Amino acid sequence: MIRPGSTLGILGGGQLGRMIAMAAAQLGLRTHIYSPDAGSPAFDVAAEHTLAAYEDEAALIRFAKAVDAVTYEFENVPSATAATLSAHTQLAPNARALAVAQDRLVEKSFIADLGIPVAPFAAVANEAELDEALSRIGRPCVLKTRRFGYDGKGQAMIRPETEPGEAWRAVGSAPSILEGFVPFEREASVVAARTASGDFAAYDLCANEHRNHILDITRVPAGVSARTEQQAVDIARAIADALDYVGVLAVEMFLVTGDGGERLVVNEIAPRVHNSGHWTLGGAATSQFEQHVRAVCGWPLGETRRLGRVEMQNLIDHDVDAWERILTEPGAHLHLYGKAEARAGRKMGHVTRIFAETT
Amino acid sequence: MIRPGSTLGILGGGQLGRMIAMAAAQLGLRTHIYSPDAGSPAFDVAAEHTLAAYEDEAALIRFAKAVDAVTYEFENVPSATAATLSAHTQLAPNARALAVAQDRLVEKSFIADLGIPVAPFAAVANEAELDEALSRIGRPCVLKTRRFGYDGKGQAMIRPETEPGEAWRAVGSAPSILEGFVPFEREASVVAARTASGDFAAYDLCANEHRNHILDITRVPAGVSARTEQQAVDIARAIADALDYVGVLAVEMFLVTGDGGERLVVNEIAPRVHNSGHWTLGGAATSQFEQHVRAVCGWPLGETRRLGRVEMQNLIDHDVDAWERILTEPGAHLHLYGKAEARAGRKMGHVTRIFAETT
């Protein structure tokens, strides 16, 4: 077990690493950030940092030896990087979680094999396979690269009139997956944590609104039935157990309504703290960042109780110019990430608003 | 005005500086800690640090030029240090607040001149003056050094049987103040903030219990009448206004009951965030640390609303060994300061417990 006073290594220097580092410090841990980006906002709140490429094996080994455990803030940690770190220290979440989350085809197959509903999907390695997959899945559907897609990047919608070759070129002719379009009523996510001994705790289901494919607003509660809420938690638990997962994970889902009922379809897994869990910082008894640190260190999980009705709004690009007005707003909690300059699509901070529950 | 992205300098590297630095980071500021102690826990959460003596003028000037504003975590900042910093950057709270808080005689006179009740007091420069003061103040009373006393250090109780010379030697024969003993029912404090434009916001009055002269437990609400609560806030405001104060300050008071009423007697001022305000971190809408940063940066003050009935317990020395049990306690918020080793009287962390209000 990691004790207070130990050093937690964090791979990645963005806002997620920064907020993990601050939660770790609150619990008496030292932190050491590893990032190839000299302007990493997490460097500013950590005891140590290593500025090196994720492929720099010597730097990785020095880093692993300087810390007591390593976690990460992003799912695209190269498998060789994970292997090097795992050979010299404990890495959580594990390499399996990374492998599953990094490849949409592996991920969808893994989830479907657990008996959890996903969109119909087919592997697409070339244009000929795309035609074949299209005839099976039908339109509308979405072509997504198997790897490195996020915030809508590496995706192409295929509508009745879309020329398949155009979609294929739009995703860079890369190995892809074709997914049937899910006519969702809402996007939702569950943020949950699991420890090495199998303890599990989930936060309430969140409803997520996106703008230009980037998370804009998270609302909790999500406004679904108690049965759907429970199903969402069961899904997260089944996934976490199957991965022997340690840490916080997020499961993104589509909520489909119709035929008088609600149905959840899993979209993807994020093996890390997640933007849709930022509301827990101030909005829940334990933040997702503290919860992640507790799980990674082998400590007991904290209470996930919600403290009210919560709304989290991302401050993207020039949204952040409103910081001073937000500071005057009663009950609004401003979080800024310390990034040097605003730019299109860049997450500069977020604001959490907590309201007394009216049920 | 200091904008997000600016650098806040903090003099002092203990837990108060550490928690100010974390609040500043949450608001998008960089921090730079100045401390003569290589093991400063605040270094671990700051972007930069300077390891130098408070008397090192060249280091102070470099520090002042590297930051956009300076604040401090302790009231014994040497006046020469404050003067050097003020000449090169903005210092808040101001040098006047330091001068008043550093000398018990100046402090008591200042407070009494505002028409605020204090214990009867007299200056004592030598043993002869002590005898004279004793005849005026009466026994029991307390002899306190004018400067550098904290956590009960530099104090000697004079009871009916005490030999005055013994008390004089116990305080190191240093310039002192003799204070009449206040037969208090409870110790209390108000933590409040004031901005340069005169905005003021106070947290609810706290009741404080000490163990071996060190704060043990703070409870809020303090369980006093609404009138006493308002008086406490009025006192804090009068003091802050008179000092043209910028930042968070704490006013320590004695609550005296009897003759069917409650009465407040001010004991001392701390021109900084204060241990009795730690409950606000998680227990109030805005923590005292965020509030201090807002005030120092010229930003609007945050809401001081309490989120429930709150108890804050200091973890002193080996109290901290209970960290793992505390982590399992629902609703308990653990804060550890990252200090290397526990020792007698050392504040290692604190735990805040928030309960639903039952009125």
Side-chain angles (χ1 to χ4, degrees):
Chain A
M1 193 182 59
I2 310 299
R3 299 181 63 83
S6 305
T7 302
L8 178 64
I10 302 170
L11 221 54
Q15 66 268 20
L16 301 182
R18 177 174 165 106
M19 289 186 276
I20 294 169
M22 289 170 77
Q26 187 204 299
L27 294 170
L29 294 161
R30 297 179 78 252
T31 57
H32 184 149
I33 307 290
Y34 189 110
S35 164
D37 176 4
S40 291
F43 286 173
D44 288 349
V45 297
E48 306 284 345
H49 71 260
T50 295
L51 179 65
Y54 293 126
E55 295 74 24
D56 183 338
E57 204 184 340
L60 286 168
I61 292 172
R62 274 197 307 277
F63 169 66
K65 289 183 170 171
V67 302
D68 297 289
V70 171
T71 189
Y72 46 85
E73 61 149 19
F74 66 115
E75 59 269 44
N76 286 321
V77 175
S79 58
T81 305
T84 301
L85 293 171
S86 295
H88 294 90
T89 188
Q90 61 182 82
L91 178 72
N94 60 29
R96 172 104 197 283
L98 283 171
V100 167
Q102 283 174 6
D103 184 319
R104 289 184 193 282
L105 181 62
V106 175
E107 183 179 46
K108 281 279 184 324
S109 310
F110 164 78
I111 298 166
D113 287 350
L114 292 173
I116 295 168
V118 292
F121 66 94
V124 172
N126 52 50
E127 236 182 299
E129 282 189 18
L130 175 56
D131 289 335
E132 194 198 331
L134 266 174
S135 65
R136 253 190 28 243
I137 305 284
R139 302 179 182 219
C141 56
V142 191
L143 185 66
K144 301 178 177 176
T145 56
R146 286 174 58 170
R147 303 178 73 89
F148 301 117
Y150 69 97
D151 288 350
K153 292 183 179 71
Q155 299 197 11
M157 185 82 177
I158 303 184
R159 297 174 209 278
E161 69 283 5
T162 310
E163 204 275 296
E166 206 174 288
W168 178 244
R169 285 183 296 276
V171 301
S173 310
S176 293
I177 176 174
L178 189 70
E179 296 181 11
F181 178 76
V182 178
F184 61 86
E185 195 263 317
R186 209 173 306 170
E187 291 179 89
S189 58
V190 177
V191 175
R194 187 180 180 276
T195 66
S197 53
D199 288 337
F200 177 86
Y203 294 97
D204 288 353
L205 187 71
C206 342
N208 301 316
E209 288 174 25
H210 292 76
R211 196 171 36 146
N212 304 325
H213 298 283
I214 300 172
L215 181 63
D216 180 20
I217 293 175
T218 294
R219 294 177 214 274
V220 207
V224 300
S225 68
R227 190 170 154 272
T228 301
E229 186 89 36
Q230 186 58 48
Q231 278 178 345
V233 173
D234 292 345
I235 286 172
R237 180 162 206 157
I239 290 171
D241 283 344
L243 291 171
D244 197 15
Y245 194 87
V246 172
V248 161
L249 87 166
V251 182
E252 295 182 46
M253 305 175 181
F254 297 123
L255 177 74
V256 183
T257 52
D259 303 332
E262 291 172 341
R263 201 161 58 84
L264 292 168
V265 175
V266 169
N267 182 29
E268 62 181 33
I269 306 168
R272 52 169 170 83
V273 294
H274 193 258
N275 197 165
S276 72
H278 287 4
W279 67 270
T280 61
L281 192 53
T286 309
S287 79
Q288 66 166 344
F289 306 103
E290 172 168 343
Q291 193 77 308
H292 186 68
V293 170
R294 286 175 176 241
V296 165
C297 289
W299 298 351
L301 295 178
E303 243 193 321
T304 54
R305 185 170 43 88
R306 193 158 44 79
L307 303 181
R309 183 172 68 77
V310 191
E311 269 184 38
M312 188 288 304
Q313 183 199 346
N314 271 338
L315 300 175
I316 294 165
D317 192 5
H318 283 290
D319 292 350
V320 75
D321 297 345
W323 66 273
E324 213 182 339
R325 188 192 53 68
I326 294 166
L327 283 176
T328 65
E329 198 187 311
H333 298 267
L334 179 67
H335 297 262
L336 298 179
Y337 304 150
K339 294 183 183 177
E341 47 172 346
R343 57 174 185 252
R346 193 171 210 203
K347 293 173 181 170
M348 303 297 293
H350 71 269
V351 54
T352 303
R353 297 178 171 95
I354 303 164
F355 307 91
E357 196 104 43
T358 50
T359 35
Chain B
M1 193 182 58
I2 309 299
R3 300 182 62 84
S6 304
T7 302
L8 178 64
I10 302 170
L11 222 55
Q15 66 269 18
L16 300 183
R18 179 176 165 104
M19 290 187 275
I20 295 169
M22 289 170 76
Q26 186 204 299
L27 294 171
L29 294 160
R30 297 179 79 252
T31 58
H32 185 149
I33 308 290
Y34 188 110
S35 165
D37 177 1
S40 292
F43 286 173
D44 288 349
V45 297
E48 307 284 344
H49 71 260
T50 295
L51 180 64
Y54 294 125
E55 296 74 24
D56 184 337
E57 202 184 342
L60 286 168
I61 292 172
R62 273 197 306 277
F63 169 65
K65 289 184 171 172
V67 302
D68 297 290
V70 171
T71 188
Y72 47 84
E73 60 149 19
F74 67 114
E75 59 269 43
N76 286 321
V77 174
S79 58
T81 305
T84 302
L85 292 171
S86 295
H88 294 89
T89 187
Q90 61 181 84
L91 178 72
N94 59 29
R96 171 104 197 280
L98 283 171
V100 168
Q102 282 174 6
D103 185 319
R104 288 184 195 282
L105 180 62
V106 175
E107 182 179 46
K108 280 277 182 327
S109 310
F110 164 78
I111 298 166
D113 287 351
L114 292 173
I116 296 168
V118 294
F121 66 94
V124 172
N126 52 49
E127 237 182 300
E129 283 189 16
L130 174 56
D131 289 334
E132 193 199 330
L134 267 174
S135 65
R136 252 189 31 240
I137 306 283
R139 304 179 182 220
C141 56
V142 191
L143 186 65
K144 300 177 176 177
T145 55
R146 286 176 57 171
R147 302 179 72 90
F148 302 118
Y150 69 96
D151 288 351
K153 291 183 178 74
Q155 299 198 10
M157 185 82 177
I158 302 183
R159 297 173 211 279
E161 70 282 6
T162 309
E163 203 275 295
E166 206 174 289
W168 178 245
R169 286 184 295 277
V171 301
S173 310
S176 293
I177 176 172
L178 188 70
E179 296 181 9
F181 179 75
V182 178
F184 61 86
E185 196 263 317
R186 210 174 302 170
E187 291 178 88
S189 58
V190 177
V191 176
R194 186 180 180 277
T195 66
S197 52
D199 289 338
F200 177 86
Y203 293 98
D204 288 353
L205 187 71
C206 340
N208 301 316
E209 289 174 24
H210 293 76
R211 197 172 36 148
N212 304 323
H213 297 282
I214 299 172
L215 181 63
D216 182 19
I217 292 176
T218 294
R219 293 178 215 273
V220 206
V224 299
S225 69
R227 190 169 154 273
T228 301
E229 184 90 36
Q230 185 58 48
Q231 277 178 347
V233 173
D234 292 344
I235 286 172
R237 181 165 204 155
I239 290 171
D241 283 345
L243 290 171
D244 197 14
Y245 195 87
V246 173
V248 162
L249 87 166
V251 181
E252 296 183 45
M253 305 175 182
F254 297 122
L255 178 74
V256 184
T257 53
D259 303 330
E262 289 172 342
R263 201 160 58 84
L264 291 168
V265 175
V266 170
N267 182 30
E268 61 181 34
I269 306 168
R272 54 170 169 82
V273 294
H274 193 258
N275 197 164
S276 72
H278 287 4
W279 67 271
T280 61
L281 193 52
T286 308
S287 79
Q288 66 166 345
F289 306 103
E290 173 169 340
Q291 194 77 309
H292 186 68
V293 170
R294 285 175 178 242
V296 166
C297 290
W299 298 349
L301 294 178
E303 243 194 320
T304 54
R305 186 170 43 89
R306 193 158 44 78
L307 304 180
R309 182 172 68 77
V310 191
E311 269 184 39
M312 188 288 305
Q313 184 197 346
N314 270 339
L315 300 174
I316 294 165
D317 193 5
H318 283 290
D319 292 349
V320 75
D321 298 346
W323 67 273
E324 212 183 337
R325 188 193 51 68
I326 294 167
L327 283 177
T328 65
E329 199 188 312
H333 298 267
L334 179 66
H335 297 263
L336 298 178
Y337 305 150
K339 295 183 183 177
E341 46 173 346
R343 57 174 184 252
R346 192 172 211 203
K347 293 172 181 169
M348 302 298 292
H350 71 269
V351 54
T352 304
R353 297 178 171 94
I354 303 164
F355 307 92
E357 197 105 40
T358 50
T359 34

